[in-house]
Amino acid sequence: MKFPFSWLADFVDMADIEPEQLAKKLISAGFEVEEIISTGVNLSNIITGRIESLEKHPNADRLQITQIFDGVTTRQIVTGARNVSVGDVVPVSLPGAVLASGLKIKPSVLRGVESNGMLCSKTELGIDELSDGIWILHPSTPLGLNFVDYAQLKDSVFDVSILPNRGDCQSMLGLAREISVLLGRPLRQPEMDYLVDPEFKLTSGPTQLIVDTQNQCPVYLARSVGNIFPAPTPLWMERRLSKCGIRSHNIIVDITNYVLLELGQPLHAFDADKWEGDVIRVGSSPANITFQTLDQETRAILPGAPIVSDRNGVVSLAGVMGGFGTSVDSGTRNIILESAYFTPVDVRRSRNHVGLRTESSIRFERGVDPLGVQIGADRALHLLQTLTNASVSSMSLQVETQLYSTLLPAPILMVPQKINQLLGTTYPHEMQINVLKSLGFSVNSLGDTWEIVPPSWRCHDVKDWPCLAEEVARIIGLDGIPNEFSGPMIIQEKATRLSIIRAAVETFLINQGFQEIQTYTMISPDDLLLSQRPVEKKSLMIQNPLSVAESTMRSELLASILKTAAFNIKRQISNLRLFEVGKVFFTHPDGTVCEHIMSGALVTGDQLLSPYTIDQKEWAKYTFSHLNGLMRELLDQLDIVDFQLKSTNNPLFHPTLSADLWFGDIIVGTVGFVHPDGVKGYDIRQSIGYIEFNLTLLASLPTRNKMFSPFGRFPSIRRDLAFLAPKTLGFDAIQGEIKSRLPAEVMDFYLFDLFESDSIGANHKSVGFAFIYQHSERTLLDDEVNEIHAKFVDDLRSHLPVSIR
Amino acid sequence: MIESLLAQLKAGAFDSLSRAESVTDIEGLRVRILGKKGELTEILKGLASVAPNDRPRLGQLANQLKDEISSVLNQKLVLFQAQESQNKLRSEGVDIHLPPIRRLIGRRHPIQLVLQDVVAIFSRMGFSVKEGPDVETEYYNFEALNIPADHPAREMHDTFYLENSLLLRTHTSPVQIRTMETQSPPIKIIVPGNVYRCDLDVTHSPMFHQVEGLYVDSTVTFSQLKGTLVYFLKEFFGQSRKVRFRPSYFPFTEPSTEVDVECGRCNGEGCQSCKQTGWLEILGAGMVNRKVVLSAGYDPDQVTGFAFGIGIERLAMLRYNISDIRLLYENDLRFLGQF
Ligand SMILES: [Zn+2]
């Protein structure tokens, strides 16, 4: 909200205070000054003058020669303005004057005609970005005035972000109250006095008030005012409204807006002559009601929203906006002035429904001062009488419902020692009490405990003693609270298996050259078409997504990582190793939502940065074995053994170049190449390798038991075995057969040779295994090993369809 | 007779030695002259026919000659060995300026770099890491945190809703309640995690990261909150940066504060990145509201606590001078490769 420094100074003497100084104090008390807008800094020597004559410039079609009278002397000024005529009162910059832009005015000769100054537009005086012509003032404006002061051109407007709980500070007086405490200076109240004319009675308008909606409107006050003289809005008022971003309409509307800004009490004026019937009825809206608001828009009212009606129907969407039918215009002479309290929740719902945020609703929503209803009305009556000579009728229609008394603040018990305990301070009790008193709280000592009653304007936010601690802390200043850095020793909890696994996976992948990425967990439903998810894993949809592309919670990490790969490949970065550890989401048929943490690592392109020899190029290509190897290395690091690799049914993956990682009867990961069809969907034309783990599941797996077993001290002997096997005989089958028949003396065996060639026949492959014989207690003899090995080979030959080479 | 044979041998040997060019030549000469069946041995066979009293002298002469020749042989051998090994190494050389064989370099994402730093600093102060679900209920995300259904604060949390009145958490604060419900004080935790708001521009992302902090015990003070946050901010931004606490408002804390750090770009003088204020808004904090303590099942007269929330993306943007938050989620490798 905007606060002109000059307006605040109405309530607190700030003649010796610099705006920056005030801003600092406000910020430290919880009022964030976002910006200070200074206007008219350069201006000087601008007065008001009247145009006595206008004549054409003899040498220039676009110029006119004016004679300007300032009450004492007449000056000749040449102007290019089109919008002026004889008798107009305008701002005049005299020779020696400085305009907002810093331009200095000097006497000059324009095309042979002497000119002593300049007629000014609002832009030149620094208040409008763009203005159409010279600023024409009201003809009653005194001549020869110091216009800079008169029009309050020099000012600093504070843009303050008022915290949601400080509705009481959405007004000049509200913030000035805080300032008076911060500066330790008295607060001046605005003038409220007016005379009631006991004889005066409006001939039209209501005479009765009925409040049907007790809980939405705890207090409603209507005053009738007549004989309003249609005076122009005084410049000072117009200027203050404009500094706060409100346009001037007519004197009546301007006064209600002025009081709203000044005191924070929204008011509404109905044209009494447009009122139908004798009754003001405040109630809740029935269903299906539309209504034409002030701005001549027809709006559908939220059923149950508070409304004000006359005999013909709705005249105001209470607390939000008045109706067009009873609105005040330039011809209005008699009004019903409404000052009321509408409950925050109801106003918020109501304005939300119509999509309006008005100055009035902004204040009701955060809660106005329940005692402000009377004060606001009085202030408006004072201004109406002072500025328009209005007659105030003695008729005052007021209803206070039962809710009203409960709005007023209840006493809070406060123990100053507890405040110190919460803040970690040693503020003397008297100091705390004084702060509260200065803020308008009434205090009453009950010994160690105090009974504190907040002022009416704080009834919405101060309800418990920590609020009082907050008041004490912020007024004394948070900087005054020591920075304590001690306390009881708290032992950190031990890391979970999941967090340990997560860290290990991340470290492993980074060390293997994978770049970490960070993607949204929301994806497009199209991304999911890739995978025909099993029904037991339903996706979660966002009801109000920002876009379709981010409308579904991902149940697969792959979609996010593939998209990132596609993004980079499109930017000609085609050698990629990417990974992300992130959440996936799905719903079980019973409705429970599951969140699992997955790790996904993607490879594509070459695994060397830029291979340039044939050997390097060959080596740089990814194969299934590379991916499988990476997965095994990682599992080794995680001490996870006893897993099985099985062909995958996952439609996202290449049917023969991928596998699922099983542990018991659950799949904990997948490795291999992504299905080429899926990759094409992302416009990627290179093969994509992918290794995925479900870390949530991995974390629940048992790990290898770590117990030392001594290694053999005696020399080992190697025996090789090479054989031809049918191509269809899988490695798993061969290895399984070997394992089950392995002599006890074999410590280790491994594949050392595998090839296929025409010379051994198209249906066969040559397989070579090395067997390491070793005894734990003695050196094995050659002959001994030969004998064991020969027997073993015979055994194998009779159980596998192979021929030994 | 033998003397002249020895002299002849010597001359011949030195002549051959001077023409030797390799280790192989030297080894050949050693065998030819000094070997078991070599020239010297042949001459010494003649000693048998020499007068006995001449034998010692001639024997000595022959030994001298043998020493002399083998010494030269050895010298040359060392020389040729050195030369030949050098030649061999030279022939093995490559162009050291050819491009190296390189693999890709793995790096952490800047968000994670910052997150790790933040977590590490608080870990040093005894905070344990806790996590919670991204998909939350209205109760944990709002009600238990003193944000009832019609509270204006709900509007400030532009919330993504799912089916069955579930939602994506708008802050990591629900984990405060979830932890307090299952543990007794003292609780000293930080909660890193994803949070969501329907908002998108250069400083807002629909998903972002927060670290929530909560310390609850019998007598936790605002003063300790200040001490903790000042320590964190100075560790993170540097010891010389000033820290400012401003009173603020959050439904779930009271008193509440927002904490600013002196702008590093202008050293507090005011510049574009701090909107001329000299300060950068970093985090929100406060003493846990008694209603929140109550909804977690504790007695607010027995337990006090502080809580804070830190936006990780904002920290990352400040640390690495990133002006558009969307860069963080685009994952362009030309961007990620810089951290
Ligand atoms: Zn700055």
Side-chain angles (χ1 to χ4, degrees), chain B residues 10-291:
Chain B
K10 182 177 177 178
F14 278 97
D15 179 49
S16 303
L17 272 170
S18 70
R19 278 184 280 112
E21 282 175 339
S22 66
V23 172
T24 322
D25 289 354
I26 295 296
E27 292 306 344
L29 282 176
R30 191 188 297 278
V31 173
R32 200 187 90 200
I33 301 164
L34 304 180
K36 274 185 193 168
K37 294 175 182 171
E39 291 169 2
L40 186 61
T41 316
E42 284 302 313
I43 292 171
L44 289 180
K45 280 180 184 165
L47 272 182
S49 56
V50 171
N53 51 351
D54 275 346
R55 284 179 196 167
R57 189 180 53 84
L58 289 173
Q60 205 179 353
L61 203 65
N63 272 337
Q64 265 173 15
L65 182 60
K66 187 183 175 182
D67 287 349
E68 211 176 327
I69 290 171
S70 45
S71 144
V72 175
L73 274 170
N74 287 343
Q75 275 172 29
K76 293 252 174 187
L77 182 67
V78 169
L79 188 76
F80 287 135
Q81 274 173 342
Q83 255 174 22
E84 282 175 21
S85 120
Q86 219 166 36
N87 288 342
K88 178 166 184 279
L89 292 178
R90 198 168 289 146
S91 72
E92 286 168 353
V94 294
D95 181 351
I96 57 165
H97 296 292
L98 273 174
I101 297 177
R102 291 202 54 178
R103 296 182 305 164
L104 295 161
I105 292 293
R107 287 187 173 87
R108 289 220 80 132
H109 191 282
I111 291 176
Q112 294 296 330
L113 286 172
V114 170
L115 197 60
Q116 279 189 321
D117 276 8
V118 171
V119 168
I121 295 169
F122 284 109
S123 292
R124 296 209 297 275
M125 292 188 270
F127 286 83
S128 305
V129 177
K130 277 266 149 33
E131 290 186 44
D134 291 17
V135 175
E136 265 298 358
T137 61
E138 300 227 8
Y139 176 75
Y140 284 109
N141 197 71
F142 292 124
E143 277 148 51
L145 292 162
N146 193 30
I147 312 176
D150 269 305
H151 199 285
R154 287 220 182 177
E155 265 173 46
M156 291 189 272
H157 291 230
D158 308 300
T159 313
F160 285 119
Y161 286 94
L162 306 167
E163 289 143 71
N164 304 326
S165 67
L166 293 172
L167 48 83
L168 295 176
R169 64 177 174 191
T170 57
H171 45 193
T172 38
S173 311
V175 187
Q176 284 187 22
I177 307 291
R178 288 182 175 276
T179 308
M180 286 194 279
E181 277 180 350
T182 53
Q183 284 174 241
S184 343
I187 288 175
K188 198 172 183 183
I189 55 165
I190 41 165
V191 184
N194 301 336
V195 298
Y196 305 81
R197 308 245 175 125
C198 19
D199 208 352
L200 178 65
D201 60 35
V202 292
T203 54
H204 295 94
S205 166
M207 183 186 107
F208 57 104
H209 292 76
Q210 237 181 24
V211 169
E212 183 88 4
L214 175 73
Y215 177 29
V216 177
D217 205 345
S218 51
T219 55
V220 176
T221 66
F222 192 87
S223 173
Q224 286 171 314
L225 169 64
K226 279 190 72 188
T228 302
L229 292 179
V230 167
Y231 177 81
F232 161 71
L233 291 168
K234 296 214 172 220
E235 284 291 302
F236 189 87
F237 286 101
Q239 296 300 319
S240 63
R241 299 278 281 275
K242 285 189 195 125
V243 176
R244 176 174 89 170
F245 288 78
R246 280 185 289 112
S248 189
Y249 170 78
F250 305 106
F252 32 91
T253 52
E254 187 159 62
S256 303
T257 180
E258 275 176 290
V259 190
D260 302 341
V261 165
E262 192 180 30
C263 176
R265 191 82 66 79
C266 62
N267 293 319
E269 297 292 321
C271 68
Q272 217 176 357
S273 57
C274 59
K275 291 188 202 139
Q276 307 304 330
T277 61
W279 295 96
L280 302 166
E281 201 175 306
I282 303 297
L283 58 88
M287 302 306 291
V288 181
N289 191 302
R290 284 164 64 85
K291 287 184 185 156

Side-chain angles (χ1 to χ4, degrees), chain A residues 610-678:
Chain A
S610 46
Y612 49 87
T613 67
I614 291 172
D615 286 350
Q616 288 173 10
K617 282 175 191 173
E618 197 50 45
W619 183 25
K621 287 189 181 112
Y622 285 107
T623 64
F624 178 79
S625 296
H626 282 111
L627 302 174
N628 195 9
L630 275 169
M631 186 184 76
R632 301 300 181 92
E633 286 168 26
L634 183 47
L635 288 171
D636 268 358
Q637 290 215 335
L638 298 177
D639 293 313
I640 291 174
V641 288
D642 297 335
F643 50 82
Q644 275 183 299
L645 216 53
K646 294 183 191 170
S647 301
T648 182
N649 294 323
N650 190 330
L652 286 173
F653 285 86
H654 190 292
T656 54
L657 287 177
S658 64
D660 285 332
L661 181 69
W662 288 76
F663 196 98
D665 56 359
I666 53 168
I667 298 178
V668 294
T670 305
V671 58
F673 285 93
V674 179
H675 199 292
D677 291 349

Side-chain angles (χ1 to χ4, degrees), chain A residues 343-511:
Chain A
T343 46
V345 170
D346 293 296
V347 172
R348 198 160 66 88
R349 284 184 188 155
S350 169
R351 69 94 175 143
N352 241 341
H353 186 79
V354 292
L356 273 172
R357 232 177 149 221
T358 59
E359 292 292 335
S360 164
S361 74
I362 286 169
R363 281 161 184 85
F364 281 124
E365 267 177 63
R366 293 193 181 178
V368 297
D369 180 356
L371 298 184
V373 169
Q374 187 70 51
I375 299 166
D378 288 349
R379 176 67 173 152
L381 295 175
H382 166 86
L383 290 170
L384 280 165
Q385 200 158 69
T386 321
L387 301 176
T388 73
N389 246 329
S391 306
V392 178
S393 150
S394 60
M395 188 192 79
S396 173
L397 302 174
Q398 181 164 3
V399 169
E400 285 175 14
T401 73
Q402 283 180 335
L403 182 65
Y404 183 56
S405 57
T406 67
L407 286 179
L408 294 170
I412 299 168
L413 293 182
M414 166 183 138
V415 182
Q417 183 47 36
K418 275 173 97 177
I419 303 263
N420 276 335
Q421 243 172 45
L422 183 68
L423 296 178
T425 50
T426 53
Y427 294 146
H429 299 182
E430 201 186 88
M431 186 182 183
Q432 299 184 19
I433 297 300
N434 282 342
V435 166
L436 294 173
K437 267 161 71 179
S438 69
L439 286 166
F441 291 72
S442 60
V443 303
N444 178 26
S445 169
L446 307 171
D448 282 345
T449 305
W450 288 71
E451 195 182 64
I452 309 285
V453 183
S456 59
W457 57 86
R458 299 299 298 275
C459 69
H460 302 280
D461 78 310
V462 181
K463 287 183 170 153
D464 202 353
W465 66 265
C467 309
L468 302 175
E470 181 167 67
E471 294 305 294
V472 170
R474 89 184 163 85
I475 295 299
I476 297 173
L478 297 184
D479 290 339
I481 299 175
N483 298 336
E484 179 70 42
F485 199 63
S486 64
M489 185 172 72
I490 309 280
I491 309 286
Q492 249 191 60
E493 288 171 41
K494 75 172 184 204
T496 59
R497 173 73 180 149
L498 179 58
S499 67
I500 293 168
I501 282 199
R502 181 180 180 150
V505 169
E506 289 168 345
T507 307
F508 174 84
L509 290 173
I510 286 168
N511 289 342

Side-chain angles (χ1 to χ4, degrees), chain A residues 159-355:
Chain A
D159 191 356
V160 184
S161 109
I162 300 291
L163 294 169
N165 62 328
R166 293 308 303 271
D168 64 301
C169 288
Q170 294 188 97
S171 67
M172 300 304 139
L173 184 68
L175 193 64
R177 232 165 4 216
E178 293 283 329
I179 293 170
S180 89
V181 174
L182 295 171
L183 297 178
R185 295 181 183 184
L187 182 71
R188 289 190 288 253
Q189 294 291 339
E191 288 177 52
M192 315 260 204
D193 56 304
Y194 58 91
L195 292 173
V196 174
D197 183 347
E199 305 297 306
F200 176 72
K201 239 184 168 174
L202 283 186
T203 54
S204 57
T207 54
Q208 202 195 341
L209 168 66
I210 300 173
V211 176
D212 291 327
T213 177
Q214 307 239 337
N215 291 332
Q216 294 180 320
C217 177
V219 56
Y220 192 98
L221 170 65
R223 298 296 301 262
S224 49
V225 183
N227 297 329
I228 296 171
F229 177 75
T233 300
L235 187 63
W236 59 265
M237 183 178 275
E238 187 194 321
R239 291 283 303 124
R240 283 187 166 178
L241 292 175
S242 137
K243 284 174 191 175
C244 295
I246 295 183
R247 217 156 43 85
S248 172
H249 296 273
N250 57 59
I251 182 73
I252 302 169
V253 171
D254 287 355
I255 286 174
T256 60
N257 282 333
Y258 187 84
V259 173
L260 174 141
L261 290 174
E262 188 181 53
L263 306 179
Q265 173 63 44
L267 301 173
H268 185 67
F270 299 100
D271 187 328
D273 299 322
K274 296 178 185 170
W275 192 275
E276 298 289 336
D278 302 330
V279 182
I280 303 174
R281 194 173 271 278
V282 183
S284 303
S285 172
N288 303 321
I289 293 284
T290 58
F291 153 72
Q292 196 183 21
T293 43
L294 270 181
D295 51 9
Q296 298 189 50
E297 295 276 331
T298 299
R299 301 176 191 273
I301 301 174
L302 174 75
I307 50 169
V308 180
S309 314
D310 67 1
R311 193 176 58 199
N312 275 4
V314 186
V315 293
S316 167
L317 186 53
V320 183
M321 194 180 263
F324 179 68
T326 52
S327 64
V328 165
D329 57 45
S330 54
T332 301
R333 297 292 174 270
N334 305 307
I335 61 164
I336 308 297
L337 181 71
E338 167 200 285
S339 183
Y341 179 107
F342 297 108
T343 46
V345 170
D346 293 296
V347 172
R348 198 160 66 88
R349 284 184 188 155
S350 169
R351 69 94 175 143
N352 241 341
H353 186 79
V354 292

